[in-house]
């Protein structure tokens, strides 16, 4: 028993027989508690001793000091136990490699694995420690080694290297005269090498030893082999008891009617040739799983050892799949019997890495919620390629594990129209197809649901669905399929429920902003929505939504949601209790900032002293900055005016008209919008209610 520390393998001496025995007992039960009573009995005998507890405590202290890693030797209610990481203990590595060899059908690969395992063997297990409690473990490991040696030489015979292993087998027969399998392998090697007489002499020696030592004749296998050699028959080498490894083919069916995504498919092709891990990330319903499955089917021939697939259920109506269960499923798929699957998650992960070593396999981890779900499932070899899908950016996998991230955007307009055309019973005119594609936010999930409604709806026409969409206050109802897996509202809700409370509140409040396509909201307006006074806090929460693909930063400090997510946020916003206060904060921000901007555009103009100043403001320091802000926010200001007119908020419209009318008409910039603002101001009379509760 020897101990090394670090990657440079600096040997750590363990002085004293008692310390060595304690370490051996703990390592033989690695990561499992051993009671103080068991340890004391093993170290000092069965006689009760009042001092044994103190002696054991002192011995443990000395061993901790020797190892110089206090966290290694732990004491708790289970007793004392030694924490060992995967692949740190030679005997564990030895057995893991043997398991892999037993499940490998290729004899050459089996030889390589078995010889690698035997290079770990250094003398008798727990040599010179003289502990009866370890006798069973010593016998188990030693027996496993002998079986592995039999498998090794059988595999060498399968590879045709009979002459090269005669010397090794001769020594094994001498050291293990009662193991008939070694005699049979040596007889076969000699016979194949043209040494029939020597092969028969080995049989006679084995028979003599067995009769003398045990009073038994050789078993039927050895007798049949002698008979074949005497008859000059072609010998058949019994293959080791290797379980033929199934070649997993677990990919779901290739989604029919897949369109577009040429750039993403090409990027995955490049990534699979250069890195072992890629992440497909994007918003809910954007088609990440379909893209991963379609690419995987096209690339499966590049992975001759098979494909593994698992839905980690990171987002959905069910609880996330425990990583230990995912590991168990993979191990069973790779030929490990259920009763041989380790109990601990880290041991399962280590076994998986060994089984995948040097294999060329594709592993698809669908619907992951966090890096912690993924990391234990990663192989330790670059010969495999892992493809992960997630709504989260999984930044940690890129930062720590070198994952290549592919962001899956909503379909381009041409791709969305192609998807609709492939599914619709009759293709409408181009303009109508454009409207439907945009109304579905170019989101593959919504596009497929819409096409299905048209195919099986009462009208059977695109215009009928568009009219229905335009006439509903809650447009998401049109896309409801009654199935949580395909209804956009349910699918969006899974992302929302993963948010921390403060980010979830921001998502809800975003539903108070304009939802017209192309209208972006700035970080200062969002800060006002929150009622916050720190833009950095707002930025942090926005980053959470960006990583979750619930919002998109389209320019520095400006954000938007696609229309369907915006409708979902608006549904949640409708449940807020303090509508008036929220809307007042937003309108107040725009009025005050417009007031400041116009005072910079026209220095002769007197600022409105009644406009309340928001806690966080953009830096408008000169006329150019003010004009840029007015141009950037013009569409939002007009939308706010339209909404305020519908809500009868005359005060806001009058104030906004007084502030920006001169800007809109100046130099003939935006006469149509100036006229529209005048109309809105005229429509809302002074006698109308001006409570800010309907925007």
């Amino acid at each position: 028993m020897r101990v090394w520390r670090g990657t440079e393998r600096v040997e750590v001496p363990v002085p004293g027989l008692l310390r060595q025995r304690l370490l051996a007992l703990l390592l033989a039960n690695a990561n499992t508690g051993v009671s103080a009573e068991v340890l004391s009995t093993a170290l000092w005998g069965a006689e009760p001793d009042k001092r044994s507890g103190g002696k054991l405590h002192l011995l443990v202290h000395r061993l901790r000091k020797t190892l110089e890693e206090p966290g290694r030797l732990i004491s708790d209610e289970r007793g004392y136990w030694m924490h060992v990481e995967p692949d740190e203990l030679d005997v564990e590595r030895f057995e893991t490699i043997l398991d892999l060899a037993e499940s490998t059908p290729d004899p050459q690969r089996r030889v390589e694995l078995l010889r690698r395992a035997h290079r770990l063997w250094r003398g008798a297990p727990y040599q010179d420690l003289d502990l009866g409690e370890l006798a069973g473990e010593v016998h188990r490991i030693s027996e496993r080694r002998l079986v592995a040696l039999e498998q090794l030489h059988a595999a060498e015979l399968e590879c045709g290297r009979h002459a090269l292993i005669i010397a090794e087998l001769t020594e094994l027969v001498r050291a293990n005269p009662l193991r008939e399998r070694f005699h049979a392998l040596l007889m076969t090697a000699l016979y194949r090498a043209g040494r029939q007489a020597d092969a028969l002499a080995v049989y006679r020696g084995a028979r003599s030893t067995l009769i003398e030592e045990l009073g038994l004749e050789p078993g039927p296998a050895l007798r049949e082999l002698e008979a074949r050699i005497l008859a000059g028959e072609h010998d058949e080498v019994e293959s080791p008891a290797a379980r033929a490894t199934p070649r997993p083919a677990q990919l779901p069916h290739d989604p029919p009617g897949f369109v577009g995504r040429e750039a993403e498919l090409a990027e995955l092709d490049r990534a699979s040739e250069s890195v072992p891990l890629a992440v497909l990330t994007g918003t809910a319903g954007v088609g990440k799983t379909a893209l991963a499955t379609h690419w995987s089917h096209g690339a499966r021939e590049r992975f001759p050892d098979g494909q593994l697939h698992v839905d980690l259920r990171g987002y959905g109506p069910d609880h996330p799949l425990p990583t230990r269960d995912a590991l168990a499923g993979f191990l069973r798929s790779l030929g490990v019997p259920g009763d041989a699957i380790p109990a601990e998650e880290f041991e399962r992960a280590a076994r998986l890495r060994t089984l995948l070593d040097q294999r060329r396999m594709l592993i698809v981890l669908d619907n992951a919620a966090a890096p912690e779900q993924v990391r234990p499932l990663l192989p330790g070899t670059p010969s495999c390629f892992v493809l992960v899908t997630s709504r989260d950016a999984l930044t940690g996998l890129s930062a720590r594990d070198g994952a290549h991230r592919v962001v899956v955007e909503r379909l381009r307009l041409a791709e969305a129209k192609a998807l609709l055309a492939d599914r619709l019973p009759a293709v409408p005119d181009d303009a109508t197809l454009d409207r439907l594609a945009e109304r579905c936010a170019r989101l593959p999930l919504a596009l497929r649901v819409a096409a299905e409604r048209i195919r099986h709806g009462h009208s059977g026409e695109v215009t009928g669905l568009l009219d229905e969409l335009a006439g509903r206050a809650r447009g998401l109802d049109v896309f409801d399929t009654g199935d949580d897996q395909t209804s956009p509202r349910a699918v969006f809700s899974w992302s929302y429920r993963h948010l921390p409370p403060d980010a979830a509140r921001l998502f809800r409040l975003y539903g108070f902003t304009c939802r017209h396509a192309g209208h972006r909201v700035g970080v200062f307006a969002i800060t006002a929505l929150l009622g916050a006074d720190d833009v950095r806090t707002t930025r942090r929460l926005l980053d959470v939504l960006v990583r979750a693909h619930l919002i998109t930063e389209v320019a520095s400090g400006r954000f938007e949601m696609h229309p369907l997510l915006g409708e979902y946020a608006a549904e949640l916003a409708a449940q807020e209790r303090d509508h008036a206060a929220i809307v007042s904060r937003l309108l107040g921000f725009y009025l005050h900032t417009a007031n400041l901007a116009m005072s910079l555009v026209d220095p002769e103009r007197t600022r409105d002293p009644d406009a309340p100043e928001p806690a966080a403001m953009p830096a408008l320091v000169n006329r150019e900055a003010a004009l840029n802000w007015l141009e950037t926010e013009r569409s939002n200001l007009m939308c706010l005016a339209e909404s305020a007119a519908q809500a009868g908020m005359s005060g806001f419209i009058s104030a906004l008209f007084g502030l920006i009318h001169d800007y809109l008409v100046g130099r003939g910039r935006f006469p149509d919008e100036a006229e529209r603002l005048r109309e809105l101001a005229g429509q809302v009379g002074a006698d109308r209610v001006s409570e800010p509760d309907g925007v």
Side-chain angles (χ1 to χ4, degrees):
M1 185 180 63
R2 301 170 69 184
V3 179
W4 292 271
R5 176 182 296 118
T7 55
E8 297 179 357
R9 292 180 65 80
V10 177
E11 186 163 2
V12 180
V14 181
L17 184 59
L18 277 177
R19 238 176 288 185
Q20 293 172 16
R21 286 176 170 174
L22 174 61
L23 178 58
L25 288 165
L26 294 171
L27 289 177
N29 299 276
N31 299 308
T32 302
V34 185
S35 70
E37 181 182 358
V38 169
L39 291 174
S40 297
T41 300
L43 295 170
W44 291 291
E47 292 297 324
D49 187 342
K50 295 181 180 180
R51 298 177 301 164
S52 59
K55 290 192 295 183
L56 179 60
H57 182 77
L58 178 62
L59 187 61
V60 167
H61 171 74
R62 289 174 176 171
L63 181 56
R64 282 198 184 110
K65 188 174 180 181
T66 297
L67 298 178
E68 296 183 3
E69 292 186 44
R72 284 285 187 181
L73 209 173
I74 302 166
S75 59
D76 57 20
E77 67 279 359
R78 296 175 292 176
Y80 294 93
W81 57 284
M82 183 71 68
H83 175 72
V84 178
E85 293 288 342
D87 295 334
E88 283 190 321
L89 197 60
D90 277 359
V91 68
E92 178 198 320
R93 294 171 57 201
F94 175 75
E95 294 195 275
T96 301
I97 297 172
L98 294 188
D99 290 342
L100 175 57
E102 289 178 357
S103 63
T104 300
D106 176 41
Q108 178 56 45
R109 173 70 174 145
R110 205 155 62 239
V111 167
E112 294 169 1
L113 290 169
L114 289 166
R115 290 213 178 270
R116 189 206 307 177
H118 284 292
R119 282 195 292 272
L120 297 172
W121 195 269
R122 300 180 182 88
Y126 304 107
Q127 188 172 339
D128 299 328
L129 294 182
D130 192 24
L131 278 170
E133 287 76 7
L134 294 177
E137 177 68 0
V138 170
H139 177 76
R140 186 188 69 81
I141 300 171
S142 301
E143 178 63 23
R144 183 114 203 241
R145 172 180 177 255
L146 291 174
V147 171
L149 284 169
E150 293 170 351
Q151 294 174 344
L152 167 63
H153 291 89
E156 293 277 24
L157 288 174
E158 287 186 72
C159 294
R161 291 194 281 268
H162 37 270
L164 298 177
I165 61 172
I166 289 175
E168 290 182 27
L169 282 169
T170 300
E171 179 59 28
L172 286 170
V173 165
R174 185 197 63 77
N176 303 276
L178 300 181
R179 293 189 76 92
E180 295 187 36
R181 180 71 174 140
F182 283 138
H183 291 282
L185 290 167
L186 178 56
M187 290 170 62
T188 302
L190 289 167
Y191 181 54
R192 287 188 178 183
R195 298 168 58 180
Q196 182 180 9
D198 291 336
L200 293 171
V202 170
Y203 175 80
R204 290 192 295 272
R207 180 175 182 271
S208 175
T209 299
L210 290 169
I211 290 174
E212 181 178 344
E213 296 291 333
L214 304 176
L216 298 173
E217 290 283 344
L222 203 58
R223 296 198 304 270
E224 290 172 10
L225 178 58
E226 183 215 17
R228 288 199 302 272
I229 293 174
L230 285 170
E233 296 177 1
H234 177 72
D235 67 290
E236 295 286 343
V237 180
E238 181 190 349
S239 212
R243 298 178 294 273
T245 303
R247 180 181 182 271
Q250 298 181 345
L251 295 177
H253 75 284
D254 196 354
F258 187 90
V259 298
R261 304 296 194 194
E262 286 81 4
E264 292 87 347
L265 291 169
E267 189 171 357
L268 284 176
D269 283 336
R270 291 190 296 271
S272 65
E273 296 296 333
S274 57
V275 296
L277 174 61
V279 176
L280 286 177
T281 180
T283 191
V286 80
K288 301 177 295 295
T289 296
L291 173 58
T293 305
H294 182 72
W295 179 84
S296 298
H297 276 278
R300 62 188 304 164
E301 296 305 319
R302 290 157 45 191
F303 301 95
D305 292 320
Q307 312 92 41
L308 294 169
H309 177 279
V310 66
D311 179 1
L312 295 175
R313 304 200 304 252
Y315 298 85
D318 301 320
H319 292 295
L321 180 69
T323 304
R324 65 191 311 276
D325 291 350
L327 286 165
F330 279 177
L331 291 174
R332 283 191 293 269
S333 299
L334 293 169
V336 179
D339 57 359
I341 294 175
E344 298 293 336
E345 180 179 307
F346 75 91
E347 292 177 324
R348 294 181 179 187
R351 181 69 57 86
L352 178 66
R353 289 194 296 272
T354 301
L355 290 172
L356 294 175
D357 186 46
Q358 303 303 314
R359 293 191 181 186
R360 184 65 176 161
M361 295 190 73
L362 172 64
I363 303 167
V364 181
L365 308 177
D366 191 24
N367 197 11
E372 294 72 27
Q373 260 193 312
V374 172
R375 286 195 178 108
L377 300 169
L378 297 179
T381 175
S383 61
C384 294
F385 181 65
V386 181
L387 182 58
V388 183
T389 74
S390 179
R391 300 184 190 185
D392 190 88
L394 299 184
T395 306
L397 287 183
S398 299
R400 173 178 156 181
D401 303 284
H404 177 82
R405 190 187 310 149
V406 180
V407 179
V408 184
E409 305 286 0
R410 291 179 291 144
L411 291 173
R412 302 169 184 86
L413 180 58
E415 295 174 332
K417 291 162 65 176
L419 190 153
L420 285 170
D422 181 65
R423 283 172 155 69
L424 291 176
V427 181
D429 62 85
D430 207 50
T432 302
L433 209 56
D434 282 354
R435 288 176 58 205
L436 181 57
E438 292 295 353
R439 190 62 187 83
C440 295
R442 293 179 277 114
L443 203 65
L445 175 63
L447 291 164
R448 291 189 178 94
V449 172
E452 191 66 16
R453 284 185 64 92
I454 292 168
R455 287 176 62 90
H456 300 285
H458 295 300
S459 66
E461 296 180 357
V462 175
T463 53
L465 180 63
L466 286 171
D467 291 342
E468 193 177 357
L469 287 168
R472 291 216 180 188
R474 300 178 71 181
L476 288 179
D477 290 344
V478 177
F479 298 99
D480 188 16
T481 65
D483 171 22
D484 283 349
Q485 298 289 342
T486 55
S487 295
R489 182 183 288 113
V491 172
F492 295 158
S493 72
W494 304 333
S495 294
Y496 171 72
R497 293 169 189 169
H498 273 73
L499 296 173
D502 49 1
R505 177 172 178 263
L506 173 53
F507 180 82
R508 294 193 303 274
L509 296 188
Y510 197 92
F512 285 94
T513 66
C514 171
R515 298 195 299 279
H516 285 106
H519 290 196
R520 286 81 185 258
V521 185
V523 66
F524 289 97
I526 298 172
T527 302
L529 260 180
L530 289 171
D533 57 5
D534 183 6
V535 175
R536 289 177 299 179
T537 299
T538 306
R539 185 76 224 206
R540 176 182 61 81
L541 298 179
L542 285 166
D543 287 343
V544 174
L545 298 185
V546 168
R547 287 195 300 271
H549 294 281
L550 288 171
I551 198 170
T552 303
E553 186 170 12
V554 292
S556 179
R558 298 194 68 77
F559 301 84
E560 71 174 1
M561 285 181 185
H562 69 68
L564 296 184
L565 264 177
E567 290 189 18
Y568 179 63
E571 290 182 5
L572 297 176
Q575 302 170 20
E576 292 292 309
R577 295 180 179 178
D578 52 346
H579 278 215
I582 296 168
V583 175
S584 293
R585 290 197 300 264
L586 183 62
L587 299 185
F589 164 79
Y590 278 111
L591 284 178
H592 180 84
T593 313
N595 187 28
L596 173 61
M598 288 305 299
S599 70
L600 292 169
V601 171
D602 182 7
E604 301 296 324
R605 190 177 185 282
T606 302
R607 290 180 61 182
D608 181 0
D610 295 329
E613 183 172 354
M617 289 281 294
L620 303 183
V621 295
N622 53 40
R623 187 174 188 274
E624 181 182 3
L627 286 171
N628 285 337
W629 185 88
L630 287 166
E631 169 58 22
T632 301
E633 298 289 358
R634 179 173 49 85
S635 60
N636 286 325
L637 291 169
M638 292 303 298
C639 281
L640 285 168
E642 296 278 358
S643 298
Q646 294 174 13
M649 298 170 61
S650 59
F652 173 75
I653 298 178
S654 298
L656 185 61
F657 178 81
L659 283 173
I660 69 171
H661 179 267
D662 291 346
Y663 162 73
L664 294 175
V665 299
R667 299 183 182 178
R669 289 186 182 97
F670 309 104
D672 293 342
E673 294 183 0
E675 183 59 28
R676 178 58 182 160
L677 193 57
R678 181 187 297 276
E679 292 175 2
L680 292 173
Q683 288 174 8
V684 183
D687 57 334
R688 296 285 300 276
V689 178
S690 59
E691 291 299 323
D693 59 355
V695 178

